[in-house]
Amino acid sequence: MTSLTHFDASGQAHMVDVGSKSSTRRTAVATGRIEMQPGTLELIASGSAKKGDVIGIARIAGIQAAKKTSDLIPLCHPLALTRVALDFSLHPASQTAPSSVACTATVETIGPTGVEMEALTAVQIALLTIYDMCKAVDRGMVMTGVQLLEKHGGKSGSYHAL
């Protein structure tokens, strides 16, 4: 693809017309992580954070975010999602990396357009929720590495990050 699809011939922003595209199974997987102090990770792992089950709440927030993506990203199509799943893994600090929580979101639909934005939005909001729930003890958390890992379906076929 050599041009941006969200602009018409005169350069005006518009929503891409997907009406003539065939409905196919669409899947996208995105990931990201939030780096934190070791003590913050311990609070999350123990379930003793002041606001409760950090990972459980982040999972629900990510699911809600995927469903609301078209409300947040102006030119996204509203989609009937058939699956939204978020997985989290906790990583203690090592010599090469700080303590972190990684999040991977898998989003699926059957329709005329993909779900990459929904997967990316789910990850971002899940990580922001972790930040919100833990900011009282660690305001220096950093969200990083948010990216699309893979997508399947549609005319453009599959994509896998390197």
Side-chain angles (χ1 to χ4, degrees):
M1 185 169 295
T2 60
S3 63
L4 299 175
T5 59
H6 286 89
F7 296 96
D8 64 18
S10 60
Q12 301 297 311
H14 72 99
M15 192 170 180
V16 174
D17 181 0
V18 297
S20 62
K21 293 172 75 177
S22 60
S23 289
T24 61
R25 177 171 298 281
R26 314 287 185 130
T27 304
V29 180
T31 192
R33 68 183 186 282
I34 184 166
E35 298 172 349
M36 62 195 61
Q37 299 290 329
T40 307
L41 185 66
E42 289 173 23
L43 282 173
I44 292 170
S46 71
S48 61
K50 185 176 180 180
K51 293 185 179 182
D53 177 9
V54 173
I55 299 300
I57 299 300
R59 178 176 286 110
I60 297 300
I63 292 168
Q64 285 181 315
K67 296 184 332 183
K68 293 288 193 179
T69 299
S70 66
D71 291 339
L72 301 169
I73 311 290
L75 301 177
C76 276
H77 294 84
L79 302 175
L81 303 178
T82 57
R83 177 174 179 238
V84 179
L86 280 85
D87 295 308
F88 295 87
S89 57
L90 283 59
H91 302 275
S94 69
Q95 290 182 345
T96 59
S99 301
S100 66
V101 175
C103 174
T104 301
T106 303
V107 180
E108 297 181 9
T109 193
I110 298 172
T113 191
V115 287
E116 297 97 309
M117 295 307 299
E118 288 73 11
L120 288 161
T121 300
V123 168
Q124 290 280 31
I125 296 300
L127 296 177
L128 281 169
T129 299
I130 292 171
Y131 186 96
D132 178 54
M133 295 187 73
C134 297
K135 68 181 183 261
V137 297
D138 187 355
R139 293 197 188 274
M141 292 176 282
V142 174
M143 289 161 275
T144 187
V146 176
Q147 70 178 74
L148 181 68
L149 290 178
E150 60 185 82
K151 76 86 153 175
H152 305 282
K155 188 170 79 172
S156 64
S158 293
Y159 165 84
H160 294 274
L162 300 176

